Amino acid sequence: MPRIRIKNHEFAMSDVARIAHFSLHESLLFMGAPKESNDKTFCLGVGIVKTIQKGEEFDLVGIDFGRGFAREIYVNNNHARRQIYTLKKGQLAWFYGYMKVYTLEGKKKVSMFAKGFQGWFVPRNMDIIKIDPNDIETMTEENESKINFIDELLKGEE
């Protein structure tokens, strides 16, 4: 573990490479690296939901984390299966779960399993209420003078 010395005090610095890894060109963060081929690693990501497939034993959700293709995420946890209803195709969503690395035909493969999802709500035109310009209040002189006073104080510090 690297150490740093500042004014006769020595501090230990954690090695960031051991804490988290990221997937290149994707918004996918891995909390540590798997030590063995059967080890699990927690991961967190934000992406666009591409596909949602319901099954009897498990569900499949395809999320594009930024590379242009959807990664398949297996959902067999009851809690995560209920959270699929917060997802909509084409909208952003959080993904939290774990990944498992395995070797198939000499190539390393990754499987992702969901612990939870959270869809990001994006309002449509019909959801946005038209604002009446008459409902907007004008700023009072007292508030304007406070803002001007703060501006003068900040200009004096430069």
Side-chain angles (χ1 to χ4, degrees), residues 132-149:
D132 186 14
N134 297 329
D135 291 341
I136 299 173
E137 297 177 9
T138 57
M139 193 179 295
T140 62
E141 289 181 25
E142 181 182 332
N143 287 343
E144 282 183 19
S145 65
K146 288 178 185 175
I147 291 173
N148 291 337
F149 177 71

Side-chain angles (χ1 to χ4, degrees), residues 12-77:
M13 294 176 52
S14 61
D15 189 7
V16 179
R18 294 182 189 176
I19 298 172
H21 297 280
F22 61 92
S23 182
L24 194 60
H25 304 296
E26 289 183 302
S27 58
L28 194 56
L29 185 69
F30 301 108
M31 310 304 176
K35 295 179 179 133
E36 299 173 10
S37 61
N38 62 355
D39 227 1
K40 298 177 189 174
T41 299
F42 283 102
C43 54
L44 176 71
V46 178
I48 297 173
V49 178
K50 295 291 185 180
T51 60
I52 301 172
Q53 299 175 16
K54 299 287 282 173
E56 291 199 22
E57 297 295 320
F58 64 92
D59 302 330
L60 279 176
V61 176
I63 297 182
D64 178 10
F65 292 105
R67 278 200 172 164
F69 63 90
R71 288 185 177 261
E72 283 191 338
I73 300 167
Y74 297 97
V75 187
N76 57 357
N77 183 350

Side-chain angles (χ1 to χ4, degrees), residues 84-116:
I84 288 178
Y85 293 109
T86 67
L87 305 179
K88 291 183 183 178
K89 289 182 186 178
Q91 290 188 346
L92 287 169
W94 283 104
F95 155 70
Y96 174 72
Y98 60 91
M99 69 125 183
K100 197 169 189 174
V101 179
Y102 62 95
T103 306
L104 184 67
E105 298 173 0
K107 292 185 176 181
K108 276 193 174 182
K109 301 280 186 174
V110 173
S111 291
M112 294 186 169
F113 300 89
K115 289 267 191 199

